[in-house]
């Protein structure tokens, strides 16, 4: 809008404003509103050559400011305050003018308080394999079949240790996935001493899962029962999986879902850096392959890029760029 107003002002030196407005299809009323918004003097007092004859005077703006910011009228809405000022013969102007000047000068009403939101941090591990999360989600294929995606997720590194796509979900499926995760950790040469955090669903809270966990030196934690925390870390993984990938794909069958989920989780583990780790991938954090020297290397790369960018622009032959 400001660019359009400035262009009209420049063109008005050679043409009539009416012709300029007709050429771009802009009405006089809209042009006047934009003109008063962008070329209104930001000072409430003192002369200003850019003021228009029908704009409020400095005294009227001061009156409006006192009414808007007064604690006495903090319980009155702006629309009601407009009529209250007219009935008390303080100020006569439209409600649009009230909203316009409140926006331009940034007046804040006394009753408006900025509420600080409290975000509770979830459960956090201090090393890999300290806390695992296990959860499942469901997706539908184009032929109407419902399939379940179940994962074991490391809390510290955000590494997907094991995953499975099944048509049915139950205790045996959970046991099989935990056994697969256990063998994967041993294959990577990591120590296993984990707490498995899960929700209270029937696929987790059953005798088969409990017997397997107690026999394999694992500890079961039911979310919001044994601990105050929820199992939201798995839910965030599923949200990223669906929003960033599966919702943009056509899921034809269970095997198709399995192939695409396998692709995304491999990308998640090995390729996609995480901002929370300052550029490290989950696999690098899981295997302790990322250190502070890698972070400093990225920072030095940014500094060198800024210097080379400035040098490249300074060496250009274009007069305008110089």
């Amino acid at each position: 809008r400001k660019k359009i107003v400035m262009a009209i002002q420049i063109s008005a030196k050679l043409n009539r404003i009416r012709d300029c407005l007709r050429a771009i299809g802009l009405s006089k009323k809209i042009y006047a509103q934009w003109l008063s918004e962008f070329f209104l003097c930001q000072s409430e007092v003192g002369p200003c050559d850019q003021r228009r004859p029908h704009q409020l005077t400095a005294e009227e703006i001061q009156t409006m400011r006192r009414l808007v910011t007064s604690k006495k009228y903090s319980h009155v809405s702006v629309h009601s305050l407009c009529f209250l000022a007219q009935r008390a013969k303080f100020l006569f102007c439209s409600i649009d003018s009230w909203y316009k000047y409140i926006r331009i000068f940034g007046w804040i009403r006394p009753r408006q308080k900025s509420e600080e939101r409290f975000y509770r941090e979830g459960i956090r591990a201090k090393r890999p394999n300290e806390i695992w999360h296990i959860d499942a989600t469901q997706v539908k294929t184009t032929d109407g079949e419902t399939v379940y995606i179940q994962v074991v997720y490391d809390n510290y590194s955000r590494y997907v240790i094991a995953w499975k796509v099944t048509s049915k979900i139950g205790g045996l499926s959970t046991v099989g996935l935990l056994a697969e995760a256990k063998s994967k950790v041993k294959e990577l040469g990591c120590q296993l001493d984990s707490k498995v955090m899960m929700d209270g669903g029937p696929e987790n809270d059953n005798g088969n899962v409990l017997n397997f966990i107690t026999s394999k030196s694992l500890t079961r934690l039911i979310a919001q029962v044994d601990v105050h925390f929820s199992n939201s870390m798995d839910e965030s993984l599923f949200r990223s999986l669906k929003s960033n990938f599966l919702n943009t794909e056509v899921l034809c069958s269970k095997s198709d879902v399995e192939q695409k989920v396998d692709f995304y989780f491999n990308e998640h583990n090995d390729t996609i850096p995480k901002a929370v780790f300052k550029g490290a991938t989950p696999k690098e954090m899981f295997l302790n392959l990322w250190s502070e020297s890698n972070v400093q290397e990225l920072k030095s790369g940014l500094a060198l890029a800024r210097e080379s960018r400035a040098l490249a622009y300074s060496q250009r032959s274009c007069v305008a760029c110089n």
Side-chain angles (χ1 to χ4, degrees):
R1 292 182 181 181
K2 188 173 183 180
K3 291 181 179 179
I4 293 175
V5 171
M6 294 177 64
I8 293 174
Q9 291 288 313
I10 296 174
S11 301
K13 296 178 181 179
L14 303 175
N15 306 278
R16 293 184 302 177
I17 294 182
R18 182 188 308 172
D19 298 335
C20 298
L21 296 177
R22 188 183 298 112
I24 63 175
L26 190 66
S27 66
K28 292 182 180 180
K29 183 178 179 180
I30 298 299
Y31 172 68
Q33 290 180 1
W34 292 2
L35 191 66
S36 64
E37 181 175 349
F38 294 112
F39 290 93
L40 175 65
C41 180
Q42 295 298 314
S43 176
E44 298 175 0
V45 295
C48 180
D49 297 332
Q50 293 179 337
R51 289 198 184 277
R52 301 294 177 237
H54 296 290
Q55 288 181 352
L56 298 185
T57 62
E59 292 75 12
E60 289 177 320
I61 296 178
Q62 285 282 11
T63 302
M64 183 185 292
R65 183 188 63 81
R66 285 195 298 268
L67 293 174
V68 170
T69 60
S70 174
K71 180 66 176 177
K72 180 180 179 180
Y73 301 106
S74 62
H75 61 285
V76 183
S77 65
V78 176
H79 214 141
S80 299
L81 196 59
C82 174
F83 289 106
L84 184 63
Q86 295 178 20
R87 289 170 61 94
K89 296 182 174 54
F90 292 153
L91 177 63
F92 289 89
C93 64
S94 65
I95 184 61
D96 294 332
S97 298
W98 283 78
Y99 286 124
K100 181 183 75 171
Y101 285 101
I102 289 174
R103 182 180 67 253
I104 290 175
F105 293 114
W107 294 328
I108 299 177
R109 308 212 64 191
R111 59 184 172 87
Q112 294 181 347
K113 296 182 180 179
S114 58
E115 298 181 359
E116 295 184 0
R117 295 185 179 181
F118 175 72
Y119 294 97
R120 181 181 176 185
E121 187 179 9
I123 188 170
R124 292 292 182 266
K126 298 181 179 179
R127 57 175 178 82
N129 290 315
E130 182 180 355
I131 300 175
W132 288 356
H133 297 267
I134 185 170
D135 201 359
T137 187
Q138 63 181 22
V139 295
K140 282 191 175 182
T141 60
T142 55
D143 56 2
E145 181 184 4
T146 300
V147 296
Y148 299 90
I149 305 171
Q150 194 173 20
V151 301
V152 176
Y153 195 45
D154 183 60
N155 180 283
Y156 176 79
S157 62
R158 274 70 162 175
Y159 183 76
V160 181
I161 304 174
W163 62 88
K164 180 186 295 186
V165 178
T166 58
S167 300
K168 295 182 180 180
I169 192 169
L172 296 179
S173 175
T174 302
V175 169
L177 190 62
L178 288 173
E180 183 181 347
K182 183 175 179 293
S183 61
K184 178 69 175 295
V185 169
K186 287 186 176 180
E187 179 184 343
L188 293 174
C190 302
Q191 295 182 354
L192 180 61
D193 183 17
S194 304
K195 299 176 181 178
V196 183
M197 191 169 178
M198 57 186 69
D199 56 29
E203 73 277 6
N204 299 324
D205 194 5
N206 56 70
N208 293 326
V209 176
L210 183 61
N211 292 335
F212 176 82
I213 287 179
T214 53
S215 62
K216 299 300 180 181
S217 301
L218 299 173
T219 304
R220 185 180 69 166
L221 296 177
I222 303 297
Q224 296 182 337
V225 176
D226 298 329
V227 291
H228 293 289
F229 301 99
S230 65
N231 202 22
S232 58
M233 187 162 286
D234 263 342
E235 295 169 3
S236 65
L237 174 67
F238 291 141
R239 184 171 59 251
S240 300
L241 168 65
K242 293 181 178 180
S243 301
N244 299 341
F245 187 63
L246 291 185
N247 290 346
T248 62
E249 299 290 326
V250 178
L251 307 178
C252 301
S253 61
K254 176 191 169 185
S255 59
D256 188 31
V257 174
E258 188 171 9
Q259 179 182 0
K260 291 174 178 177
V261 168
D262 182 75
F263 166 79
Y264 180 81
F265 284 155
N266 284 325
E267 288 286 302
H268 170 87
N269 286 339
D270 303 335
T271 307
I272 303 175
K274 300 299 178 184
V276 67
F277 301 136
K278 300 180 181 180
T281 62
K283 186 174 183 179
E284 290 171 337
M285 295 298 296
F286 188 76
L287 300 177
N288 292 321
L289 301 177
W290 187 261
S291 62
E292 187 64 26
S293 61
N294 301 105
V295 178
Q296 295 300 326
E297 183 180 353
L298 296 180
K299 291 183 178 179
S300 62
L302 289 174
L304 290 175
R306 285 194 296 265
E307 294 176 0
S308 61
R309 197 177 299 124
L311 181 61
Y313 275 104
S314 65
Q315 292 176 349
R316 286 191 176 184
S317 59
C318 178
V319 178
C321 293
N322 288 334

